[in-house]
């Protein structure tokens, strides 16, 4: 006898596969129907290639940190004008940043100064440990004058000094003093009478000595001298009580010289000795500067030409 199959004929294995296929088809049909419903609810507008734009957006660069602001340069200081109460017609133009030195009262003894004729002098220059030469040029044109001192030691040029101004009844009236080195201006001073600069005092001393009364003893000679920093000091030159030196024989026989000595009004250690030649308008034949008895500068006449 054969055993009985418990599965109905419709549910046997072949029928089960067919049933699964039908269920799958029905599910797909249902899914497609839902898609059609969604499409009818939200229609999609077609996009043509002609209306399509591609916009390239570059990433924004971070802003650069602002550069540190450099401070603006300070404007140059305003130039101070030089007050002139009595301008001189032929006076040289002065830079606006030069301040005039203060004028001091004239000394009690002020004779009519007598200036020597224009000349050129050549000196032997001696400084501690070195020697050289110096040339002093004295020029005069009517009421105008010019003094120029050029020096060199051991083949090296020293700063050049120049004094310019007027010639008045009392002697030299410097208006401008210059210091130049290798042609470049290093210092300039504007002055008012009766102040003398670092060069003019020498000829002013000669002019005062030339104007003396030879029948009377020479009184002390007062010079208002400007310093390197603009201050004014009164130097008094007195005759020295000693035998006068004699001039060299280069330009003639020996003759007596007038020896004057001046001391710094605030420091007696600093002094200047000057030997003037009465036969040459009291032009300086020699002058020596010392500090605390030590030589600083000496100039001694070698020759000259008128």
């Amino acid at each position: 006898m054969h055993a009985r199959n418990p599965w109905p004929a419709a549910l046997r294995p072949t029928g089960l596969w067919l049933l699964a296929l039908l269920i799958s088809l029905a599910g797909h049909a249902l899914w497609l129907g839902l898609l059609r419903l969604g499409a009818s609810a939200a229609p999609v507008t077609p996009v043509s290639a002609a209306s399509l734009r591609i916009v390239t957006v570059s990433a924004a660069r971070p802003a650069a940190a602002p550069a540190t602001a450099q401070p603006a340069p300070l404007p140059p200081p305003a130039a101070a004008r030089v007050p002139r109460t009595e301008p001189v017609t032929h006076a040289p133009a002065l830079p606006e940043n030069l301040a005039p030195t203060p004028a001091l009262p004239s000394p009690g003894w002020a004779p009519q100064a007598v200036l020597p004729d224009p000349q050129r002098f050549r000196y032997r220059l001696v400084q501690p440990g070195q020697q050289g030469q110096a040339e002093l040029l004295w020029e005069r044109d009517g009421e105008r004058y010019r003094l120029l001192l050029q020096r060199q030691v051991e083949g090296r040029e020293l700063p050049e000094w120049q004094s310019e101004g007027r010639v008045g009844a009392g002697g030299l009236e410097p208006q401008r003093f210059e210091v130049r080195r290798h042609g470049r201006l290093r210092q300039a001073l504007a002055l008012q009478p009766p102040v003398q600069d670092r060069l003019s005092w020498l000829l002013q001393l000669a002019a005062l000595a030339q104007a003396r009364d030879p029948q009377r003893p020479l009184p002390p000679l007062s010079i208002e001298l400007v310093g390197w920093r603009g201050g004014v000091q009164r130097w008094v030159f007195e005759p020295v009580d000693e035998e006068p030196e004699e001039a060299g024989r280069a330009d003639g026989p020996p003759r007596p010289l007038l020896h004057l000595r001046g001391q710094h009004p605030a420091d007696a250690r600093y002094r200047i000795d000057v030997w003037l030649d009465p036969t040459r308008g009291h032009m300086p034949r020699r002058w020596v500067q010392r500090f605390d008895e030590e030589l600083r500068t000496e100039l001694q006449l070698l020759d000259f030409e008128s």
Side-chain angles (χ1 to χ4, degrees):
M1 291 182 68
H2 295 282
R4 188 178 177 180
N5 191 345
W7 293 90
L11 297 178
R12 290 178 183 176
T14 301
L16 289 174
W17 288 109
L18 289 176
L19 181 59
L21 180 60
L22 290 176
I23 293 173
S24 176
L25 290 174
H28 281 80
L30 180 59
W31 181 72
L32 290 174
L34 292 174
L35 287 177
R36 288 194 183 110
L37 289 175
S40 60
V44 179
T45 304
V47 179
S48 63
S51 63
L52 180 65
R53 291 190 307 165
I54 300 176
V55 180
T56 303
V57 180
S58 59
R61 296 181 179 180
T68 303
Q70 298 295 330
L74 295 177
R81 295 188 175 274
V82 179
R84 290 188 181 181
T85 56
E86 297 180 3
V88 181
T89 304
H90 302 289
L94 296 177
E96 294 183 350
N97 61 343
L98 297 183
T101 55
L104 296 180
S106 300
W109 185 77
Q112 183 78 16
V114 180
L115 291 166
D117 295 330
Q119 300 176 65
R120 183 188 301 269
F121 301 85
R122 191 166 61 90
Y123 294 88
R124 180 173 65 94
L125 173 62
V126 179
Q127 292 184 342
Q130 55 187 359
Q131 296 188 15
Q133 289 189 354
E135 185 175 277
L136 177 64
L137 176 63
W138 156 241
E139 297 178 327
R140 179 178 177 181
D141 183 9
E143 294 184 353
R144 305 295 303 168
Y145 83 86
R146 174 174 176 259
L147 274 168
L148 178 65
L149 178 65
Q150 296 175 311
R151 303 165 296 166
Q152 63 174 7
V153 291
E154 309 293 343
R156 176 174 55 91
E157 291 186 3
L158 299 181
E160 176 183 290
W161 296 359
Q162 178 172 276
S163 172
E164 293 182 328
R166 294 182 66 253
V167 176
L172 298 185
E173 298 178 0
Q175 295 173 328
R176 179 180 176 86
F177 175 73
E178 292 182 351
V179 177
R180 293 182 178 271
R181 189 177 186 89
H182 304 301
R184 299 183 60 182
L185 182 64
R186 295 298 185 183
Q187 184 185 30
L189 292 174
L191 300 98
Q192 294 177 350
V195 178
Q196 301 295 319
D197 59 45
R198 306 297 296 184
L199 188 56
S200 67
W201 71 270
L202 197 57
L203 255 73
Q204 178 67 7
L205 193 64
L208 295 178
Q210 182 72 6
R212 67 169 177 158
D213 185 350
Q215 303 301 324
R216 297 181 179 180
L218 180 67
L221 303 180
S222 178
I223 298 288
E224 314 292 347
L225 181 60
V226 64
W228 287 113
R229 298 183 180 180
V232 178
Q233 299 159 341
R234 175 168 293 176
W235 283 66
V236 178
F237 290 84
E238 298 182 356
V240 178
D241 295 331
E242 62 181 28
E243 291 295 324
E245 292 192 3
E246 292 185 345
R249 298 178 179 270
D251 59 338
R255 49 188 171 269
L257 301 178
L258 175 60
H259 182 190
L260 300 175
R261 174 172 296 167
Q263 289 186 334
H264 194 286
D267 191 345
R269 293 177 300 172
Y270 181 44
R271 77 169 192 256
I272 301 177
D273 288 87
V274 182
W275 288 262
L276 305 178
D277 187 351
T279 64
R280 297 290 181 184
H282 284 87
M283 283 297 295
R285 295 192 67 94
R286 180 189 178 203
W287 76 88
V288 179
Q289 298 181 9
R290 290 186 175 91
F291 180 78
D292 203 13
E293 299 300 331
E294 293 185 2
L295 176 68
R296 291 299 180 91
T297 301
E298 177 180 359
L299 287 97
Q300 187 166 3
L301 184 68
L302 295 175
D303 55 44
F304 67 93
E305 60 183 44
S306 300

